[in-house]
Amino acid sequence: MGVSLQAVFPESDWCAVAPLSRIDWLPLEPAVVPQAVLGWLAEQGSLTRRLRAEAGDLSVICLQQGVTDDDPGLWQRQVLLLKSGRPWVWGLTQAPLSTLACYPQLATQGEQPLGDWLFGVAGATREGLVWADLVADPALRQVLAAWQLPAPEVLWARRSRLLLSGGDCTITEVFLPDAPLYAGGEEKE
């Protein structure tokens, strides 16, 4: 592909997230995660579809996409999913270039939610769904401050692998402070 990782909207107020620190992902266990949060973290289908079911317009800002400098065999895309102009989810999609060779459409979604294509046209299935609290991650704390979002007590995230007939990709989704799973002051138990 030969494309370097670049900021797609350098003139915007939104900035890309620096690489995350090492994350200890945990299996989803109802005894550990509050019920209201579990419904969002355990969603097996398209998070895009779930977000559309909530009130307000859904929009996507592509923050960055391309081949990473750290791993020239890895393509990635960072996006913000917004509802009524408020950021609800930061998403990171990572795919080996072999998957991109089979599915070049992965890199042409622009400001379209990737879930529409993955769960529609591509027929992806999800496996290995795990979660973490990323409130202490320095890159996320820095970008939340830059985005002028409040520093939460907990920052719920999930990660999974999406299987396609000709490859796979990994999706990391961080639920930002305005996301509905924080309604009611749910905290990690």
Side-chain angles (χ1 to χ4, degrees), residues 13-17 63 80 87 90 142-149 176:
D13 292 335
W14 306 110
C15 56
V17 176
L63 301 171
L80 274 177
W90 172 78
Q142 181 178 6
V143 83
L144 286 177
W147 293 342
Q148 298 180 17
L149 296 175
L176 300 173

Side-chain angles (χ1 to χ4, degrees), residues 94-103 106 117-118 122-125 127 161-170:
Q94 295 177 306
L97 292 183
S98 58
T99 297
L100 210 57
C102 291
Y103 298 99
L106 199 57
W117 181 79
L118 283 169
T125 57
E127 78 168 17
R161 184 171 167 226
L162 296 180
L163 303 176
L164 307 162
S165 62
D168 67 297
C169 60
T170 301

Side-chain angles (χ1 to χ4, degrees), residues 28-159:
L28 283 173
E29 298 178 27
V32 177
V33 179
Q35 193 61 39
V37 173
L38 184 63
W40 285 91
L41 296 180
E43 175 65 50
Q44 289 291 321
S46 167
L47 183 60
T48 300
R49 193 171 302 129
R50 176 90 187 256
L51 291 171
R52 280 202 176 105
E54 298 290 321
D57 293 330
L58 177 67
S59 58
V60 175
I61 296 175
C62 185
L63 301 171
Q64 211 177 46
Q65 77 173 359
V67 176
T68 68
D69 294 332
D70 295 338
D71 184 348
L74 185 69
W75 174 88
Q76 75 175 26
R77 176 181 190 233
Q78 284 190 41
V79 298
L80 274 177
L81 297 167
L82 297 93
K83 286 295 282 191
S84 300
R86 298 292 306 159
W88 277 16
V89 176
W90 172 78
L92 173 66
T93 303
Q94 295 177 306
L97 292 183
S98 58
T99 297
L100 210 57
C102 291
Y103 298 99
Q105 309 91 317
L106 199 57
T108 62
Q109 296 303 302
E111 292 196 3
Q112 298 301 311
L114 197 55
D116 290 340
W117 181 79
L118 283 169
F119 288 96
V121 177
T125 57
R126 189 181 305 275
E127 78 168 17
L129 194 53
V130 291
W131 73 277
D133 174 5
L134 301 185
V135 75
D137 188 281
L140 286 170
R141 292 191 72 73
Q142 181 178 6
V143 83
L144 286 177
W147 293 342
Q148 298 180 17
L149 296 175
E153 291 182 30
V154 63
L155 193 60
W156 298 104
R158 69 185 204 154
R159 182 177 184 193

